[in-house]
Amino acid sequence: MSVTIRDVAQEAGVSASTVSKVLNNWSTISPQTVSRVHAAIQKLHYTPNARAVSFARGAASNIIFLSSLKKGEAYSNPHTFDILCGVRNELMKQNYTLMIADVPDGAEPSCYLSELISSKIADGILIHGSVDIPGMAKILQETHFPHIYIGYPGSDSLLSWIDTNNGLAGQFAARHILTCHYEKVAFIAESSENYISMRRLNGFLGGMNDYGYRLPEAYIRHTDSTREDACLQTMQVLSLSEPPRAIVCENSLLALGAVKAIQESGLKIPEEIALLTFDSYPYAALIEPAPTIIDIDVYDLGTQAAMMLIRKLQNPSLLVQSYTTLPVLKQGKTTRILAHQ
């Protein structure tokens, strides 16, 4: 049976509250009492419960990570786990524990968020962009609860947030494509309602336009976010009277479909058609030949989110609204520099 704080109190001849105060370094406890308590702790091999110690200090030393955790979430939001790992690693360094939460089925989201805050089980909250809570900003502002929203909540939001710069990632893709001298380029995107996809597409189009290149409307294809539709849209692009010389895919799942279409068309990569995709994870490793990738380290995004929240805990009035984690080009075998024509 584990030793409790009451066992220590009995051994030292003091109250349990006095033991708690000694554990939390209260200056009002006499040196003699402190010595007796520490002697009892050593004799009984007592290990203080970190959560209990934090509670005595008036803080939970716990952070909530609120995200959608429904069945199939690993496929619809594949980067969530990497973000979560980055968060956990940074919080461990700061001696914080991490609680993962989702809005329960049947619960009213705004009421659930209010209950999480009022329960005082955490000092702050990280909210993943997959969570949709009506009135979220109002609740967080009225309660002054330390928070960081991971994603972009909109230009008029007063939430504290950080996000990856997907528009800049699109510009990186355009710069690489033009460096390789590919001028006829198609873009396979997700739905036009997908925020990340549209940011990447608009960044790419803007980057191409800066150098005088405009993509024909037929070269821009929106999908239902499946590999099968990406394959179909790519087949249609390749069947145009003037097919593109390169294809850019908004994520690695769509790239799988595009590669299938290219192979079924009998084209060689990169000799006859080049390919560039965003995101290494989770499907880029399945693509042959190894693709050229515009990648964003979302583990680092999680790390940065945790660091920002720690800063908020230290300065609750701090308003954080910034992009973080720059995109990186990973050169693969699906693009190469052509002789300039």
Side-chain angles (χ1 to χ4, degrees):
M1 186 174 180
S2 60
V3 178
T4 68
I5 196 170
R6 294 186 182 278
D7 296 325
V8 174
Q10 185 176 358
E11 177 67 26
V14 298
S15 66
S17 63
T18 298
V19 175
S20 178
K21 291 175 181 178
V22 170
L23 290 172
N24 288 283
N25 301 312
W26 282 41
S27 59
T28 55
I29 308 300
S30 69
Q32 294 82 0
T33 301
V34 171
S35 297
R36 290 209 313 273
V37 170
H38 281 299
I41 288 173
Q42 293 178 3
K43 179 180 178 180
L44 299 176
H45 303 290
Y46 172 67
T47 302
N49 181 283
R51 188 67 59 83
V53 172
S54 297
F55 186 77
R57 292 174 179 162
S61 290
N62 182 46
I63 298 298
I64 296 171
F65 185 93
L66 184 62
S67 176
S68 176
L69 300 172
K70 303 298 186 288
K71 183 177 180 180
E73 201 69 32
Y75 299 98
S76 57
N77 287 303
H79 295 124
T80 304
F81 185 71
D82 259 2
I83 294 173
L84 180 59
C85 290
V87 167
R88 178 182 178 275
N89 184 62
E90 184 60 30
L91 290 181
M92 285 181 64
K93 294 179 182 178
Q94 303 294 334
N95 297 316
Y96 279 84
T97 57
L98 179 65
M99 171 184 169
I100 303 173
D102 185 14
V103 178
D105 292 335
E108 203 286 312
S110 58
C111 290
Y112 179 70
L113 176 61
S114 296
E115 290 171 0
L116 279 180
I117 294 171
S118 62
S119 69
K120 298 182 179 180
I121 59 175
D123 301 318
I125 188 168
L126 293 161
I127 303 174
H128 187 263
S130 60
V131 177
D132 182 20
I133 299 180
M136 174 171 56
K138 185 173 183 290
I139 294 170
L140 293 169
Q141 288 162 19
E142 289 180 349
T143 58
H144 303 287
F145 196 62
H147 68 276
I148 295 290
Y149 182 84
I150 303 175
Y152 180 67
S155 59
D156 59 345
S157 177
L158 292 178
L159 288 172
S160 286
W161 59 266
I162 66 171
D163 194 16
T164 56
N165 195 330
N166 288 292
L168 182 61
Q171 294 177 37
F172 272 44
R175 185 172 66 183
H176 177 70
I177 285 294
L178 292 175
T179 297
C180 292
H181 307 308
Y182 299 118
E183 299 177 359
K184 295 181 178 180
V185 188
F187 195 105
I188 309 298
E190 292 202 26
S191 162
S192 59
E193 297 179 356
N194 183 289
Y195 169 78
I196 292 177
S197 182
M198 291 306 298
R199 291 285 293 178
R200 289 176 174 178
L201 172 59
N202 291 334
F204 181 77
L205 295 177
M208 296 292 287
N209 191 56
D210 285 344
Y211 289 89
Y213 295 98
R214 296 181 63 87
L215 270 66
E217 185 175 341
Y219 278 14
I220 303 172
R221 298 288 173 142
H222 293 281
T223 70
D224 62 6
S225 305
T226 64
R227 174 189 176 188
E228 292 73 21
D229 199 29
C231 180
L232 174 62
Q233 297 299 328
T234 303
M235 289 291 286
Q236 292 178 357
V237 165
L238 295 176
S239 299
L240 294 173
S241 57
E242 292 189 26
R245 180 64 182 80
I247 293 175
V248 175
C249 296
E250 191 272 322
N251 62 48
S252 58
L253 176 61
L254 300 183
L256 279 177
V259 168
K260 181 181 179 183
I262 291 170
Q263 292 172 341
E264 291 181 355
S265 299
L267 299 174
K268 295 182 180 180
I269 304 174
E271 291 84 359
E272 297 174 292
I273 184 82
L275 178 81
L276 181 146
T277 185
F278 295 85
D279 302 337
S280 295
Y281 183 81
Y283 302 109
L286 302 177
I287 298 173
E288 289 290 342
T292 297
I293 301 165
I294 301 295
D295 197 34
I296 295 175
D297 186 351
V298 291
Y299 180 96
D300 181 64
L301 175 61
T303 298
Q304 297 295 326
M307 292 174 63
M308 291 292 186
L309 184 55
I310 296 298
R311 287 181 60 195
K312 284 277 289 181
L313 294 175
Q314 297 167 348
N315 182 9
S317 63
L318 178 67
L319 180 63
V320 177
Q321 294 188 336
S322 66
Y323 290 110
T324 185
T325 312
L326 293 176
V328 175
L329 172 70
K330 294 184 177 180
Q331 180 67 56
K333 297 181 179 180
T334 57
T335 61
R336 65 181 184 184
I337 297 179
L338 301 178
H340 189 61
Q341 300 178 356

